[in-house]
Structures are given as C-alpha cells and as structure tokens.
Amino acid sequence: MALGCDILFPTTALIIYLVSKRMAGKEDNYQPPDKDGWSFYHLQRTLMNKKPLFKGEEKRGFIQQYFTQRWQYVVSDIFDLRWYLSLRIYIEEDSFDVRWKRSRGFSQQEQWLIYKNGIVIGKANTVMNVKNMSKLKEVIFFEIEEETWATNALTVTSSISLMRDNKKEGLLRRNHLISNVQSINVTDDRSEYIMSLILHSYYFK
C-alpha cells in the first residue's frame, strides 16, 4: 500500500504539471478576437507564468502570481487555496506589486500591501463577515492614497464590479460561461481600477 502511494503521488504531480504547462502555453499565445477593452486569458493556477494583458488586440502588460516563500506556494497548490497570493501586474508604464501580508496570525481577512512603481500607495483586504458569507458575496476593500473603493461579486457568478461612492467604475467578466477569457472595462482606463479587478479575479474566481 505504501509503495503504491509512493508511486501515485509523483505520477499525479507530473500529470498536473504537464497539463498546466500545456494550459500555460495557451495563455501565452492568447490573441483577443476583435475586442476594444482590456482582456487576459486565465486558464490555470499552478504555474507562475506571465499572462499577457491586452488592450484591444495590443499587448499592454502582463500578470504574474507569486509567493513570497516557497512553502506558501506548496500549501496553496496542494489544498487549491488562494492563501498567500501575491501579484505582479504591469499595465502600460505602471508596475504594481500586490504583496500578501497578514497583520494578525489568525485573522479571517486576507490583506495586501500595494506598491506602484516601487512605492507603497495603499492596501487591500477581504471583507469576510457573516452578512457577506450568508449572501455568498465576495468583497475586497481598497485604500489607495486618499481614496477608497471596493470590488464585489456573488460567488455563483463570474462578473466582478468595482464600486466607488455608490457608482460603478469598473467591471470584469468572463466572455461567456465556458470561456476563461476575462474582459475588463473601467472608467478612464485607470490602472488602479484594473489592478483591483484582477486581484479579485485571481483570489476569488
């Protein structure tokens, strides 16, 4: 029995790696068909490859998940969780580092420090409480410089809204039910809004 497990685990890991590698190739070769807004192809979570970010048919940046320590990646991968998730997001001339942190060891909220072009500009945290959980509602709250907004979505849907002062400033949604192409539209093409919607998509979806 033990010998069977010794063989099974490495074989399963190899299969997962090969499948993820093939999916990563599809992500890297994604070309948006006749789109005006921002989009990216999010097909697999195992590998930490760079996913191209497009505006229309032009590549305007990339998205890359990472973990500050290797053990965090192992735990997240084994249990298929988004714990410890950090992101590097390049949008035109702006580079964002959305770095996972937790101020309290047993906090129910995930927290991130947000860097833009190497300078801390704000922070974000999930809002997990009884009210949101009972409604199957996902929320991330952002404090960027002197502004605040939130991204929210229902767990059973793929669309994510960005709300600021009770006004919708952005939307990320899957092209259709069977597609992994994520389409983004935000007011004024603001890079901070795009970054916020991408973080929500990676963490919750």
Side-chain angles (χ1 to χ4, degrees), residues 104-165:
R104 291 178 294 175
F106 295 98
S107 172
Q108 292 184 340
Q109 313 301 336
E110 293 294 337
Q111 302 167 350
W112 296 271
L113 273 180
I114 300 173
Y115 295 76
K116 181 180 179 181
N117 302 325
I119 300 171
V120 177
I121 61 167
K123 58 186 179 180
N125 63 269
T126 56
V127 184
M128 296 183 180
N129 53 37
V130 174
K131 180 180 178 181
N132 287 338
M133 292 174 68
S134 67
K135 294 182 177 180
L136 298 179
K137 187 176 182 180
E138 311 159 352
V139 179
I140 299 181
F141 182 74
F142 293 82
E143 297 179 71
I144 306 295
E145 295 177 334
E146 297 183 0
E147 302 175 274
T148 61
W149 57 76
T151 55
N152 63 77
L154 295 178
T155 302
V156 295
T157 66
S158 60
S159 295
I160 304 165
S161 297
L162 187 149
M163 304 296 296
R164 178 184 172 193
D165 298 329

Side-chain angles (χ1 to χ4, degrees), residues 156 196-197:
V156 295
S196 302
L197 288 164

